[in-house]
């Protein structure tokens, strides 16, 4: 861990300005991912702006009938919220499938969206990694890639986004609300929030330096069966090999997003359109451009089979 | 005392304390945080400094130069010691790869420097500033490739064994099996990292560390540092798990001692978690070929087991064929082991080395063979039981009740409810049952102890025996209490200190039986001293209720001790009973699994182990050992694998997020039954080891249950869903 300075933010705007003033400043909320990465010097911010003092920890109904989730609402509180459990069961289930009770108590809604990949080569500073050290190469390609991405990958990076919550947010069409350093407010649809790796895997979201997430807004509830199915080698406390977040209506139509397969929560309109036809068609559309490695080719079957199980559960 | 004739009736047989279900006597210290582990010795008067290790970033090569200028001038830094600055050093007797010293890099994360600073954070930050110029060399990292050039190791490792004529018998057998199985590299992944504190006082050094074997560590530390062994005081009273990973001197102790010398301060060094994987040892991967031939009636006529494993140059075999020499009958048999050179980190002992990976393969093969024969796998095992060493039929087992374990286990588990492969279902779960035999040899090592009686009537046991979470404190206290007729609260036990008599230490499941036998021997000496002092005839003296009695005279022990107290000290040594009789431990594991019909996720639903391991000294601590081992077996079956990067030569998943050991949610109800037996050939305690037996066969029982559930036979561990889904039913 490198030396850094620290301040407690006095306001959202002040925090955004402070973060914008240095390219190596970072916000810290729960710190469940950032602190680990700082210890390994994968992250080396020179200035930390602690935003835990700013409130932003309430869940409120929006005039449109949706829900505004404060950026600092802890994962535990979000998963346990009555409205979330009733109207957005997918989100509650996804949250509870992630991490551990202790981590969820600290982890925040905004921080969850911003957590970084768990690719083991990203975590080992002796190994080349374009995400950690742009231009150094990707050691995961041709290496141990069982856990890594199969779709939307590039020659520079095959990392996955590790979040469960984000998969649910993607299926629910959440919108990320931000304040830019100049004070302007901004709304980013979750579909556009995370980037694909391309040639710049170190750029993971569309946020500008200093741009501050204030809330994540869910549209009005859409009904349907909410199912989150996380597939992993052990029963708890493991990142998804594959996860499926789905909202399925009585007529079989709906939405489906997948985790553990891409650099972002993976959802395609073309795949949603196939949902009523069943898992095979939907999975084929969802993974149409898949480029798996030898080690993670099984994820293609696994997505289809898991989706089949989810659809069966929705029908049953 | 030398144990060279089978035990007859002795004071242990009273079983007033020994054999009783007593909670561990150090439990309260542990649950209240007062048991001090290696890194936790902290005296506020002492200005500890903190050492942080630097590991090699390449797998093989040489260090041309190191630039430590930035590290040396970083805030708080007191000293930087590098592998170049200390130069080539003699290697410890028990180490294969060198721990520190010289310019050669033998494996990834081999220690190349330690940075000592005022705070841990300063040391860690400065360690990241060390710059190294390497001359990288190519290495061998892929066992599948390296096995082609594997060699036959020295005869002392018994690479080849044979009896009868395997080839002819196999060729003419009515039913045959010829399959290859693989087991991956595995990590001990113990909770407590390797950690040490070193403090110099003149030319003497005290080292608090986490060691299973005090004397081995002390000797190898002396060799590595070229210090007189007598000048080293080693302490390891509490250990947060070892599993074999702390049998042999590790670099945290070396770096702490060198760092403390350089910084002229007591220094603490803990290995970071990734170092546990690539700096220390691991259980080596194996490739195993098994051939079995049998008559139609199920009698095995031919059995062969070959195994390939790899290690650093000068390293050792993973003796995966060991159990196959002894577990089943069959007149014609052979085993062979070959060793490949690999430049991965050092392979070495992990809980039940040999038998654990060997049974992972053999007990699937037996299941497959039973199926080919159309026999129940429990019956097939019973049919092929042997009461003698199959290679030397004149040599009997000391006591062997594998059949009893299988029968009782089958009854308790309701084995007869097992269905055909792929036939049973519970919602989305395919349900299967599996069984495997457990087998682990019973080893004994010399073990010493000193027992003091003071004028308060308190008995204090001192031995350098270690308690790696197994319950050594408790069973040693029970032994002394039984021998001297005292309640447990009149016995104090001090362990893990090099000033105490050298014991067996903890490993190879020899610790419990050997160390309590050493305490038995010392207690016999103390009983004699007490009798002599009182002028009692030691032949008819009785120790009971805190008193020593002879005829109608009785004296309280406190009084017998006198002002000066009395001491008994002895070492148990062993005659040839382990040669005349094969001493082993036996068991049967029964497992029920569910396999998700869609995803192929396998989850264990219940587990039963039946163990025959001689006298059980304490059913609570023994059960704890077995359920822990069953848990480790669950990991071995389902998730634990060190992923080798065969290009870069290291284990990639080097943390506890990537190397997945079971979590609570993976472990269902576990039932353990101990057969009520004694083995008078094993020791005066009539006990044998159980800590490794509990692991042996577990993974195969799970593998067989997965097959029974899904109809998919997987011969490559761990049995992850990607190996199953291709064979599962279509999902609509």
């Amino acid at each position: 861990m490198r030396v850094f300075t620290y301040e407690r933010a006095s306001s959202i705007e002040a925090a955004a300005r402070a973060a914008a003033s240095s390219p190596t400043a970072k916000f810290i909320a729960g710190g469940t991912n950032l602190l680990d990465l700082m210890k390994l010097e994968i992250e080396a911010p020179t200035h930390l702006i602690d935003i835990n003092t700013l409130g932003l920890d309430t869940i409120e109904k929006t005039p449109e009938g949706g829900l505004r989730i404060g950026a600092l609402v802890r994962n535990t509180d979000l998963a346990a919220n009555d409205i979330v459990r009733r109207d957005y069961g997918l989100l509650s289930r996804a949250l509870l499938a992630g991490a551990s009770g202790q981590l969820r108590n600290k982890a925040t809604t905004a921080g969850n969206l911003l957590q970084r990949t768990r690719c083991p080569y990203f975590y080992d500073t002796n190994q080349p990694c374009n995400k950690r050290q742009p231009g150094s190469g990707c050691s995961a390609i041709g290496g141990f890639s069982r856990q890594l991405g199969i779709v939307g990958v590039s020659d520079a990076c095959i990392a996955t986004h590790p979040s469960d919550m984000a998969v649910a947010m993607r299926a629910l069409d959440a919108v990320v609300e931000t304040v830019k350093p100049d004070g302007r407010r901004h709304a980013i649809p979750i579909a556009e929030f995370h980037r694909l790796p391309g040639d710049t895997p170190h750029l993971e979201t569309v946020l500008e330096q200093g741009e501050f997430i204030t809330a994540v807004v869910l549209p009005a509830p859409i009904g349907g069966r909410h199912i989150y199915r996380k597939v992993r080698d052990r029963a708890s406390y493991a990142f998804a090999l594959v996860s499926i977040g789905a909202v399925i209506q009585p007529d079989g139509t709906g939405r489906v997003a997948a985790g553990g397969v891409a650099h972002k929560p993976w959802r395609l309109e073309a795949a949603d359109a196939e949902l009523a036809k069943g898992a095979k068609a939907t999975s084929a559309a969802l993974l149409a451009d898949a480029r798996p490695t030898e080690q993670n080719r099984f994820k293609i079957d696994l997505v289809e089979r898991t989706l089949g199980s989810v659809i069966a559960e929705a029908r049953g | 005392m030398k144990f060279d004739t089978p035990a007859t009736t002795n004071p242990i047989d009273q079983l007033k304390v020994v054999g009783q279900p007593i909670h561990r006597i150090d439990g309260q210290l542990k649950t209240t945080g007062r048991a001090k582990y290696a890194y936790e010795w902290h005296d506020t008067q002492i200005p500890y400094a903190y050492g942080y290790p630097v590991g090699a970033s390449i797998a093989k090569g040489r260090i041309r130069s190191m630039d430590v200028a930035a590290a040396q001038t970083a805030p708080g830094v007191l000293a930087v010691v590098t592998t170049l600055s200390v130069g080539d050093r003699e290697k410890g007797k028990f180490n294969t790869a060198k721990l520190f010293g010289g310019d050669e890099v033998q494996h990834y994360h081999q220690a190349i420097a330690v940075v000592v600073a005022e705070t841990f954070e300063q040391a860690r930050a400065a360690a990241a500033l060390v710059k190294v110029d390497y001359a990288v060399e190519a290495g061998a990292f892929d066992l599948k490739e390296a096995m082609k050039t594997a060699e036959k190791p020295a005869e002392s490792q018994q690479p080849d064994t044979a009896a009868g004529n395997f080839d002819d018998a196999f060729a003419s057998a009515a039913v045959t099996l010829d399959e290859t199985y693989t087991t991956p590299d595995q990590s001990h992944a113990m909770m407590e990292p390797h950690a040490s504190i070193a403090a110099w006082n003149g030319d003497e050094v005290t080292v608090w560390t986490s060691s299973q074997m005090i004397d081995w560590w002390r000797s190898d530390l002396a060799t590595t540092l070229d210090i007189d062994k007598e000048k080293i005081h080693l302490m390891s009273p509490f250990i947060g798990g070892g599993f074999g990973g702390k049998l042999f001197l590790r670099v945290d102790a070396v770096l702490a001692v060198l760092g403390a010398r350089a910084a002229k301060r007591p220094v603490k060094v803990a290995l970071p978690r990734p170092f546990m994987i690539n700096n220390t040892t691991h259980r080596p991967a194996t490739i195993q070929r098994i051939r079995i031939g049998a008559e139609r009636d199920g009698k095995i006529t031919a059995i062969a087991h070959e195994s390939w494993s790899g290690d650093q140059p000068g390293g050792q075999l993973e003796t995966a064929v060991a159990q196959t020499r002894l577990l089943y009958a069959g007149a014609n048999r052979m085993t062979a082991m070959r060793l490949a050179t690999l430049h991965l980190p050092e392979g070495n002992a992990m809980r039940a080395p040999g038998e654990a990976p060997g049974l992972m393969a053999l007990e699937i093969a037996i299941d497959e063979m039973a199926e080919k024969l159309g026999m129940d796998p429990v019956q097939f095992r019973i049919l092929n039981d042997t009461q003698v060493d199959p290679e030397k039929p004149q040599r009997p087992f000391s006591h062997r009740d594998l059949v009893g374990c299988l029968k009782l286990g089958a009854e308790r588990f309701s084995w007869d409810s097992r269905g055909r492969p792929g036939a049973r279902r519970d919602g989305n779960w395919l349900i299967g049952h599996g069984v495997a035999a457990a087998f682990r040899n019973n080893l004994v090592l010399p073990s010493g102890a000193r027992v003091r009686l003071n004028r308060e009537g308190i008995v204090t046991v001192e031995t350098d025996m270690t308690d790696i979470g197994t319950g050594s404190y408790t069973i040693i206290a029970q032994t002394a209490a039984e021998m001297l007729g005292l309640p447990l609260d009149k016995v104090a036990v001090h362990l893990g200190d090099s000033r105490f008599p050298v014991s067996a230490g903890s490993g190879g499941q020899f610790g419990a039986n050997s160390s309590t036998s050493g305490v038995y021997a010392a207690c016999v000496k103390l009983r004699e001293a007490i009798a002599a002092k009182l002028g009692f005839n030691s032949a008819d003296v009785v120790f009971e209720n805190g008193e020593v009695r002879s005829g109608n005279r009785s004296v309280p022990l406190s009084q017998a001790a006198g002002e000066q107290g009395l001491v008994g000290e002895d070492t148990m040594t062993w005659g040839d009973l382990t040669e005349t009789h094969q001493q082993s431990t036996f068991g049967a594991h029964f497992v029920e699994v569910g396999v998700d019909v869609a995803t192929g996720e396998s989850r264990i639903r219940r587990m039963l182990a039946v163990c025959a391991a001689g006298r059980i000294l304490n059913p609570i601590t023994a059960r704890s050992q077995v359920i822990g081992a069953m848990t480790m077996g669950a990991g071995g079956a389902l998730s634990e694998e060190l992923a080798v990067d065969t290009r870069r030569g290291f284990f990639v998943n080097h943390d506890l997020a990537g190397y997945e050991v079971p979590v609570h949610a993976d472990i269902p109800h576990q039932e353990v039954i101990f057969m009520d037996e004694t083995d008078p050939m094993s020791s005066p305690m009539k006990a044998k080891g159980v800590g490794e037996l509990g692991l042996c066969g577990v993974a195969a029982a799970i593998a067989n249950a997965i097959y029974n559930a899904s109809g998919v036979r997987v011969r490559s561990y761990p049995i992850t869903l990607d190996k199953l889904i291709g064979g599962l039913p279509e999902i609509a």
Side-chain angles (χ1 to χ4, degrees):
Chain A
M1 189 181 284
R2 307 253 183 92
V3 171
F4 59 89
T5 52
Y6 170 90
E7 70 170 283
R8 286 206 178 94
S10 56
S11 70
I12 293 167
E13 290 72 18
R17 277 197 305 276
S21 68
S22 162
T24 52
K26 278 208 172 269
F27 302 123
I28 183 163
T32 57
N33 191 207
L34 181 60
L35 284 177
D36 282 351
L37 294 170
M38 286 172 67
K39 290 173 187 173
L40 296 166
E41 298 196 4
I42 293 165
E43 294 273 12
T46 56
H47 185 61
L48 281 187
I49 303 147
D50 185 341
I51 60 171
N52 285 297
T53 50
L54 297 179
L56 302 173
D57 56 355
T58 56
I59 301 170
E60 294 161 358
K61 289 211 165 184
T62 64
E64 295 77 24
L67 215 54
R68 175 170 283 106
I69 302 158
L72 294 174
V73 171
R74 307 288 154 169
N75 287 176
T76 298
D77 297 328
L78 182 56
N81 180 274
D82 285 342
I83 300 169
V84 172
R85 290 176 58 188
R86 187 188 66 208
D87 295 337
Y88 306 96
L90 174 60
L91 177 58
S92 186
R93 292 184 181 115
L95 282 160
L96 294 174
S100 65
Q102 294 91 331
L103 285 166
R104 292 194 296 267
N105 286 343
K106 288 295 285 181
T108 63
T109 306
N112 189 313
L113 291 176
L114 295 175
Q115 63 181 303
R116 307 204 65 191
T117 185
R118 261 62 177 190
C119 173
Y121 294 96
F122 173 73
Y123 265 81
D124 187 333
T125 53
N126 291 324
Q127 310 304 329
C129 172
N130 288 320
K131 185 182 279 295
R132 177 167 28 77
Q133 209 177 347
S136 62
C138 173
S139 37
I141 296 173
F144 174 54
S145 57
R146 178 171 183 269
Q147 193 85 24
L148 302 178
I150 56 170
V151 66
V153 296
S154 74
D155 291 338
C157 182
I158 57 172
T160 52
H161 194 271
S163 171
D164 294 297
M165 184 196 83
V167 175
M169 292 291 196
R170 179 69 185 89
L172 294 169
D173 281 335
V175 174
V176 181
E177 293 189 341
T178 68
V179 172
K180 297 207 182 206
D182 63 6
R184 279 182 305 139
R185 300 207 164 238
H186 195 54
I188 309 167
I190 186 82
E192 294 161 23
F193 183 79
H194 294 105
R195 297 168 180 255
L196 288 178
D199 295 331
T200 55
H202 60 292
L203 302 176
E204 294 171 349
T205 69
V206 297
L207 293 176
E208 295 171 17
Q209 176 65 31
E211 189 169 354
F212 186 107
I213 299 174
T214 54
V216 177
V217 176
L218 297 177
I222 55 167
R225 287 288 300 270
H226 287 226
I227 299 171
Y228 189 75
R229 181 71 169 87
K230 183 175 184 180
V231 182
R232 43 189 162 178
D233 289 324
R234 63 182 171 193
S236 178
Y237 207 58
F239 295 101
L241 288 167
V242 156
S243 69
I244 297 290
V247 179
I248 300 178
Q249 303 299 338
D251 64 0
T253 64
R255 306 163 172 193
V256 61
V261 294
H263 204 250
K264 59 193 285 186
W266 194 250
R267 180 176 163 208
L268 297 177
E269 281 177 14
D272 284 358
E274 301 288 315
L275 198 50
K277 294 184 199 159
K280 204 174 272 297
T282 309
S283 176
L286 195 62
L287 303 180
D289 298 319
R291 270 175 57 196
T293 67
E294 272 313 301
Q295 290 187 6
N296 65 24
R297 190 174 300 279
F298 72 92
K299 288 192 178 188
I300 293 178
D301 275 353
L302 189 57
V303 165
E304 183 188 317
R305 298 183 67 93
T306 308
L307 187 55
S309 176
V310 165
I311 292 170
E313 185 182 337
R315 284 179 188 151
Chain B
M1 181 181 289
K2 186 171 186 181
F3 183 75
D4 52 8
T5 52
T8 52
T9 301
N10 67 45
I12 298 297
D13 294 320
Q14 299 173 98
L15 297 182
K16 289 179 181 166
V17 195
V18 169
Q20 297 303 313
I22 291 163
H23 286 285
R24 62 184 70 214
I25 60 173
D26 51 329
Q28 201 176 31
L29 288 178
K30 288 180 171 172
T31 54
T32 56
R34 286 177 297 150
K36 280 187 185 166
Y37 290 83
Y39 204 73
E40 296 170 344
W41 292 85
H42 203 92
D43 185 332
T44 51
Q45 305 301 308
I46 295 176
Y48 294 99
Y50 295 81
Y52 197 85
V54 180
S57 63
I58 64 165
K60 188 172 188 315
R62 294 201 173 267
I63 298 172
R64 286 200 198 99
S65 64
M66 297 176 76
D67 177 359
V68 298
Q72 256 161 345
T73 55
V77 171
L78 300 167
V80 180
V81 181
T82 75
T83 190
L84 299 182
S85 68
V86 304
D88 274 327
R89 297 189 160 257
E90 194 178 339
K91 190 161 60 71
K93 178 181 157 194
F94 292 100
N95 297 127
T96 301
K98 74 185 167 74
L99 298 180
F100 195 61
D103 67 347
E104 186 188 3
V105 174
Q106 297 169 312
H107 62 84
Y108 191 69
H109 273 175
Q110 193 165 28
I112 58 171
V114 61
V115 177
V116 182
E118 293 285 354
T119 69
F120 170 79
E121 288 76 12
Q122 289 170 330
R124 185 176 59 190
L129 300 173
V130 173
K131 302 254 182 309
V132 187
D133 180 24
Y134 296 101
V136 180
E137 294 167 15
F141 309 113
D142 186 349
L143 178 60
K144 269 203 195 90
E145 281 301 313
M147 74 182 281
K148 295 171 190 162
T149 53
E151 292 182 355
K152 182 174 163 180
E155 289 299 332
S156 59
Q157 297 196 45
Q158 292 190 285
D160 292 318
T161 67
N165 185 330
F166 170 77
D167 287 336
D168 287 357
F170 185 69
S172 61
V175 180
T176 61
L177 168 135
D178 181 354
E179 292 290 354
T180 298
Y181 307 83
T182 63
T183 64
D185 297 285
Q186 293 181 330
S187 176
H188 309 86
M190 72 295 280
M191 186 88 76
E192 182 202 26
H194 297 77
S196 295
I197 302 174
W200 285 89
N201 180 11
D203 65 347
E204 298 186 351
V205 64
T206 300
V207 181
W208 292 265
T209 191
S210 187
S211 159
Q212 297 176 227
M213 306 293 288
I214 300 295
D215 195 58
W216 291 4
W217 278 58
R218 192 174 177 224
S219 299
D220 275 356
L221 193 56
T223 303
T224 307
L225 298 173
D226 196 19
I227 308 175
D228 180 359
K229 181 178 172 183
E230 297 307 313
K231 303 284 187 192
I232 298 171
H233 174 204
L234 202 81
M235 301 264 285
S236 186
F238 294 101
I239 295 123
F243 309 120
K246 294 171 180 170
L247 281 171
F248 317 115
L249 177 69
R250 295 313 314 169
V251 78
D252 52 298
V254 176
L255 297 182
V257 173
L258 290 171
R261 185 147 68 186
K264 300 186 172 55
R265 293 257 293 271
V267 166
K268 295 188 170 199
V269 176
L271 297 189
R273 182 61 66 178
F275 274 54
M276 243 136 283
I277 309 272
N278 281 294
N279 175 275
T280 77
T281 60
H282 65 279
R283 187 201 300 284
T286 64
I287 297 172
Q288 303 179 44
R289 181 188 184 197
I290 295 175
R291 284 171 289 169
I292 304 173
E295 297 303 323
R296 293 245 171 256
D297 66 1
K299 287 268 191 198
I300 293 173
T301 54
I303 184 164
H305 194 162
E306 297 157 89
S307 176
W308 291 262
S309 58
D311 200 1
Q312 286 268 329
Q316 311 163 57
L317 290 165
E318 177 67 31
T319 55
V321 307
Q323 71 291 320
T324 307
R325 297 176 60 189
L326 292 160
L327 189 47
Y328 297 112
N332 304 289
R333 46 208 306 133
M334 64 83 75
T335 69
M337 295 183 283
R338 294 296 179 266
L339 183 62
T341 298
L342 289 179
H343 301 100
L344 290 168
E346 175 180 332
N348 216 317
M350 180 169 144
R351 198 175 199 171
E355 281 100 330
L359 284 162
M360 286 167 85
L362 177 65
E363 289 298 285
I364 295 182
I366 291 292
D367 199 66
E368 296 196 68
M369 195 65 192
E371 187 177 35
K372 281 175 182 255
L373 288 158
M375 289 184 73
D376 179 280
V378 170
Q379 292 310 318
F380 180 53
R381 288 177 172 89
I382 290 171
L383 181 68
N384 287 288
D385 186 51
T386 174
Q387 290 295 315
V388 297
D389 175 349
E391 287 174 11
K392 301 184 191 100
Q394 72 284 5
R395 183 169 173 261
F397 281 91
S398 59
H399 184 82
R400 169 172 168 135
D401 195 13
L402 174 61
V403 170
C405 294
L406 286 163
K407 285 183 173 168
L408 181 60
E411 181 196 321
R412 293 292 179 87
F413 190 79
S414 302
W415 177 250
D416 56 10
S417 67
R418 189 176 83 125
R420 285 175 296 100
R424 286 184 64 190
R425 194 147 170 182
D426 174 9
N428 285 333
W429 295 102
L430 302 167
I431 307 301
H433 291 174
V435 63
F439 176 93
R440 170 69 172 146
N441 277 333
N442 182 56
L443 311 174
V444 286
L445 284 188
S447 198
R450 185 158 57 224
V451 187
R452 303 176 186 277
L453 172 66
N454 72 10
R455 61 182 178 177
E456 275 87 43
I458 303 286
V459 164
T460 302
V461 185
E462 297 173 340
T463 163
D464 85 353
M465 179 61 188
T466 49
D467 187 327
I468 57 175
T470 43
S472 305
Y473 278 103
T474 311
I475 57 173
I476 283 172
Q478 288 173 272
T479 303
E482 193 80 65
M483 289 298 288
L484 294 159
L486 287 169
L488 214 50
D489 62 2
K490 298 287 185 198
V491 180
V493 180
H494 298 307
L495 302 181
D497 188 324
S498 63
R499 294 172 299 192
F500 300 154
V502 174
S503 73
S506 298
Q509 77 170 12
F510 51 67
N513 184 39
S514 300
S515 72
T516 53
S517 295
V519 172
Y520 173 95
C523 287
V524 169
K525 279 275 165 68
L526 179 60
R527 287 166 58 114
E528 288 167 0
I530 293 166
K533 181 159 182 216
L534 297 173
F536 286 1
N537 175 2
S538 66
D540 71 351
V541 62
V542 174
F543 290 76
E544 205 171 48
N545 302 326
E547 294 182 337
V548 51
R549 199 171 66 239
S550 177
N552 50 16
R553 282 185 64 198
S554 73
V555 179
L557 278 186
S558 51
Q559 195 180 321
E563 284 301 306
Q564 305 304 317
L566 289 168
V567 181
E569 180 172 339
D570 201 0
T571 295
M572 180 61 81
T573 59
W574 309 93
D576 66 354
L577 288 175
T578 55
E579 286 146 39
T580 58
H581 293 73
Q582 176 58 38
Q583 296 189 18
S584 304
T585 59
F586 307 88
H589 290 285
F590 293 81
V591 174
E592 178 177 306
V593 302
V595 175
D596 187 294
V597 68
T599 65
E601 290 163 293
S602 298
R603 302 285 185 251
I604 302 171
R605 295 159 71 101
R606 57 192 177 104
M607 306 178 88
L608 164 67
V610 185
C611 300
R615 172 174 285 151
I616 297 303
L617 300 174
N618 180 331
I620 290 180
T621 56
R623 177 179 183 276
S624 180
Q625 281 292 289
V626 175
I627 63 172
M630 290 157 81
T631 303
M632 187 176 258
L638 299 176
S639 61
E640 291 185 40
E641 174 175 22
L642 289 171
V644 182
D645 188 317
T646 56
R647 309 159 308 167
R648 295 170 179 277
F650 74 112
F651 298 125
V652 183
N653 50 343
H654 49 50
D655 58 35
L656 291 180
Y659 185 81
E660 292 188 14
V661 300
V663 295
H664 283 283
D666 290 305
I667 303 303
H669 178 68
Q670 296 172 310
E671 191 178 353
V672 180
I673 299 170
F674 293 111
M675 300 299 277
D676 186 9
E677 64 173 40
T678 58
D679 191 338
M681 301 279 184
S682 71
S683 77
M685 306 302 295
K686 304 174 187 171
K688 294 189 281 200
V690 75
E692 299 189 334
L693 177 68
L695 172 61
C696 293
V698 175
I702 295 167
N704 294 338
I706 290 173
Y707 171 70
N708 182 243
S710 66
V712 183
R713 182 67 79 178
V714 178
R715 300 183 183 89
S716 159
Y717 290 97
I719 306 175
T720 45
L721 57 88
D722 44 304
K723 297 170 186 172
L724 291 171
I725 52 173
L728 295 179
E730 284 282 318
I731 296 294

